[in-house]
């Protein structure tokens, strides 16, 4: 499989360290001079730009969190003059104020480059038709995939998310080869295709670049099987640039981080201490090339680990493990940590239900209640209550052995769980008042 930019994706560790060092030193000076908020944080911590001489000195810099973005909303962390900002994006955020980011022309080029690497890794080239079914608008998914597709000279089809029947007409009539959307939307598209009686062999689709939400390996198998494609995991966040921060290669052994632009660290979320390579902890990013809103040591709240070994694909870019979820997505139910993606893995692996589920957590008195609603397959719908109870028990047993906690499992009617066109909402936590 081709590599978009061998020079940067395959450089030796020594070359990468030298490049990151040079870029970080310049970036810290630029931010110190142009972002009073961060200058103050540095001074409070007793760090001056001259103290940062090597990429390893990154650990001396102060962290930024979503709270800092809220406190400086909307432009307080911008380093460039607003007259040089050519595009704005924002994430709606389910809690609190939206997070805003701004790009200079150079930042858009960096973003396009990161997405060009991502799409190339998934098999896209000049002749590809990339159907961008991520939402366009303030969300970064649509425009990120669009900028990247155009950078490699592929044809971007900017359909945005939603209107699934039209998505399918476009997939078929325009000869789409690459689909870009959330994994949950890919599944919904597959389901609709089947309902419309269109066989996947009637499409030219070869691959998908799916991200923006956690998804399990079992979900990947399901999408690949039903759409007849290779499904690649892509990761990113608005604060750092949007999609393209990291991407999988054919080896599927983690996501390569575009670390010549976005330097990752793993910290202990409780103490902020940098953890040794291979440890699982909170992912932190520093933008060493961006001009618009270049964050240093931004705490993502995403939980993963880093692997610095060279990959079979030839890239030397560090790999981050697939993100299971965020610290704030993790449910703590009766003291046990539960990620929704673990539940997804169990359900899809069992394969006796539809791949749609909803997790409902509540509190009765002092005790947490934990229910998993799972959609039945059409053929089970007419089954006797006894049969359904048997399946519910089987699911409960499997969940109990994986999670270490036993939920109440309820099979619900086919098509009764809402389908997702963007990021799926799979948890209702009524304990949060
Ligand atoms: O979701 C950017 C994006 C768009 C990534 C399209 C990939 C594809 P935000 O809306 O700011 O940006 O949400 C960022 O989504 O911190 C993760 O918690 C989660 N996330 C993103 N990609 C993945 C992934 C976009 N591949 C937040 N796996 C991040 C798991 C992901 N979680």
């Amino acid at each position: 499989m081709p590599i978009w930019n061998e020079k940067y994706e395959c450089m030796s560790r020594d070359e990468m360290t030298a490049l990151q060092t040079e870029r970080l030193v310049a970036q810290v000076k630029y931010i110190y001079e142009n972002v009073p908020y961060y200058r103050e944080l540095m001074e409070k911590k007793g760090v001056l730009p001259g103290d940062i001489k090597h990429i390893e000195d990154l650990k001396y810099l102060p962290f930024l969190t979503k709270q800092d973005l809220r406190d400086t909303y909307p432009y307080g962390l911008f380093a460039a003059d607003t007259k040089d900002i050519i595009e704005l994006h924002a994430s709606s955020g389910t809690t609190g104020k939206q997070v805003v980011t701004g790009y200079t022309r150079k930042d858009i080029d960096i973003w396009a480059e990161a997405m060009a690497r991502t799409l190339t890794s998934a098999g896209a080239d000049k002749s590809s038709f990339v159907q961008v079914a991520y939402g366009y608008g303030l969300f970064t998914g649509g425009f990120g995939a669009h900028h990247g597709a155009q950078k490699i000279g592929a044809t971007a089809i900017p359909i945005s998310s939603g209107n699934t029947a039209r998505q399918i007409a476009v997939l078929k009539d325009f000869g789409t080869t690459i689909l870009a959307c959330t994994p949950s939307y890919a599944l919904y598209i597959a389901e609709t295709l089947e309902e419309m009686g269109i066989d996947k062999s009637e499409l030219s689709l070869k691959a998908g670049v799916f991200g923006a939400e956690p998804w399990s390996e079992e979900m990947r198998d399901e999408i690949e099987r039903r759409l007849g494609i290779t499904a690649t995991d892509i990761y990113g966040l608005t604060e750092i640039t949007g999609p393209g921060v990291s991407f999988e290669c054919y080896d599927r052994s983690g996501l390569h981080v575009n670390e010549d632009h976005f330097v990752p660290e793993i910290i202990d979320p409780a103490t902020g201490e940098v953890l040794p390579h291979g440890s699982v902890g909170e992912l932190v990013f520093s933008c060493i090339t961006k001009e618009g809103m270049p964050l240093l040591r931004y705490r993502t709240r995403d939980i993963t680990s880093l692997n610095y070994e060279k990959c079979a694909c030839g890239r030397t870019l560090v790999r981050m493990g697939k993100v299971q979820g965020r610290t704030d997505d993790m449910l703590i139910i009766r003291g046990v940590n539960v990620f929704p993606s673990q539940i997804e893995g169990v359900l899809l692996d069992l394969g006796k239900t539809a791949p749609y589920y909803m997790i409902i957590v509540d509190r009765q008195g002092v005790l947490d209640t934990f229910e998993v609603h799972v959609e039945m397959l059409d053929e089970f719908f007419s089954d006797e209550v006894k049969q359904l109870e048997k399946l519910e028990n089987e699911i409960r047993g499997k969940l109990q052995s994986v999670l270490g906690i036993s939920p109440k499992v309820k099979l619900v009617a086919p098509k009764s769980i809402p389908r997702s066109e963007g990021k799926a909402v799979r948890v209702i936590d009524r304990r949060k008042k």
Side-chain angles (χ1 to χ4, degrees):
M1 199 69 89
I3 292 176
W4 173 253
N5 192 334
E6 273 198 44
K7 177 174 173 208
Y8 290 98
E9 294 179 68
C10 306
M11 36 169 69
S12 71
R13 185 48 45 192
D14 285 351
E15 285 172 310
M16 182 58 81
T17 302
L19 181 72
Q20 288 177 333
T21 295
E22 183 196 321
R23 290 179 168 179
L24 176 71
V25 169
Q27 185 73 316
V28 171
K29 187 165 175 290
Y30 168 69
I31 292 173
Y32 184 84
E33 284 167 5
N34 292 287
V35 186
Y37 185 89
Y38 200 72
R39 177 162 64 227
E40 245 175 65
L41 288 183
M42 282 177 66
E43 285 169 358
K44 245 191 239 157
K45 213 166 178 251
V47 198
L48 292 173
D51 300 326
I52 308 298
K53 299 191 182 75
H54 194 272
I55 192 67
E56 284 184 0
D57 298 332
L58 197 55
K59 58 179 179 285
Y60 301 122
L61 290 167
F63 290 117
L64 286 169
T65 64
K66 201 162 240 173
Q67 191 57 46
D68 293 303
L69 284 161
R70 292 195 178 124
D71 292 347
T72 55
Y73 176 84
Y75 303 140
L77 288 171
F78 280 29
D81 196 294
T82 43
K83 72 176 188 323
D84 295 318
I85 300 288
I86 61 164
E87 194 164 310
L88 287 179
H89 284 278
S91 76
S92 54
T94 40
T95 48
K97 255 183 219 158
Q98 58 185 340
V99 161
V100 181
T101 189
Y103 306 74
T104 62
R105 193 167 299 281
K106 181 181 162 203
D107 295 340
I108 294 290
D109 286 345
I110 294 168
W111 192 14
E113 163 75 19
M115 275 307 290
R117 295 180 191 177
T118 302
L119 288 163
T120 305
S121 177
D125 60 22
K126 264 178 166 335
S127 60
S128 303
F129 287 86
V130 183
Q131 183 158 334
V132 184
Y134 284 114
Y136 278 68
L138 287 176
F139 176 54
T140 52
F143 277 90
H146 189 98
H147 291 315
Q150 292 197 330
K151 174 104 183 171
I152 62 177
T155 309
I157 309 176
I159 185 166
S160 196
S161 61
N163 201 344
T164 309
R166 183 160 185 227
Q167 297 279 355
I168 285 166
V170 168
L171 272 176
K172 219 172 142 217
D173 301 346
F174 294 10
T176 301
T177 54
I178 311 266
L179 176 64
C181 63
T182 60
S184 54
Y185 195 35
L187 188 65
Y188 182 22
I189 290 176
E191 182 186 44
T192 311
L193 201 66
E194 289 156 14
E195 279 172 6
M196 290 168 76
I198 299 172
D199 192 82
K200 60 191 176 205
S201 62
E202 294 174 51
L203 307 179
S204 314
L205 204 56
K206 291 192 176 67
V209 280
F210 304 131
E213 63 185 3
W215 52 311
S216 57
E217 283 302 328
E218 291 78 6
M219 173 72 102
R220 185 199 323 254
D221 294 344
E222 179 92 9
I223 294 171
E224 291 195 325
R225 186 176 54 77
R226 289 171 70 172
L227 285 176
I229 59 170
T230 2
T232 297
D233 192 8
I234 73 169
Y235 166 91
L237 61 164
T238 313
E239 297 90 317
I240 300 306
T241 200
V245 172
S246 66
F247 59 93
E248 269 183 336
C249 61
Y250 68 79
D251 198 51
R252 297 184 171 183
S253 49
L255 288 84
H256 289 283
V257 178
N258 283 311
E259 58 172 319
D260 48 327
H261 299 290
F262 318 113
V263 180
E265 296 170 277
I266 295 288
I267 61 159
D268 177 334
T271 62
E273 188 200 337
V274 178
L275 296 176
H277 293 169
S279 319
V280 174
E282 180 179 349
L283 183 61
V284 171
F285 278 112
S286 295
C287 301
I288 53 172
T289 49
K290 274 178 62 184
E291 299 174 331
M293 193 185 77
L295 303 184
L296 291 174
R297 302 201 87 199
Y298 180 69
R299 294 183 58 160
T300 64
R301 303 194 212 180
D302 290 325
I303 303 291
T304 186
S305 60
L306 295 174
N307 173 1
Y308 281 86
E309 276 163 36
K310 190 175 169 183
C311 183
C313 74
R315 290 180 184 81
T316 50
L317 293 174
V318 60
R319 278 166 286 168
M320 54 182 257
K322 199 169 173 62
V323 173
Q324 270 215 325
R326 307 162 58 86
T327 46
D328 39 3
D329 278 351
M330 189 180 74
L331 293 160
I332 304 180
I333 307 170
R334 290 178 225 144
V336 179
N337 298 348
V338 174
F339 279 114
S341 56
Q342 291 176 294
I343 297 177
E344 178 178 295
V346 169
L347 295 174
L348 271 75
D349 189 40
L350 192 64
K352 294 185 179 172
T353 59
Y356 301 100
Y357 60 96
M358 194 62 106
I359 300 159
I360 300 154
V361 190
D362 205 343
R363 182 165 286 145
Q364 268 177 3
V366 289
L367 199 67
D368 292 331
T369 60
F370 175 25
E371 275 186 35
V372 179
H373 292 187
V374 195
E375 235 182 65
M376 275 178 257
L377 290 170
D378 279 331
E379 59 257 40
F380 278 90
F381 194 38
S382 53
D383 274 9
E384 286 175 22
V385 177
K386 246 196 187 153
Q387 287 297 108
L388 295 179
E389 275 176 2
K390 202 172 144 221
L391 181 55
E392 285 173 348
N393 282 333
E394 186 180 356
I395 297 172
R396 179 168 44 248
K398 291 257 174 325
L399 287 172
Q400 153 94 51
S401 68
V402 170
L403 307 174
I405 174 173
S406 174
K408 181 167 183 236
V409 174
K410 198 169 154 194
L411 286 167
V412 298
K415 311 266 164 359
S416 61
I417 290 179
R419 303 299 189 247
S420 155
E421 295 173 348
K423 294 187 192 239
V425 179
R426 297 195 173 103
V427 178
I428 302 173
D429 191 346
R430 300 204 178 102
R431 297 171 305 177
K432 289 181 190 154
K433 292 266 154 63

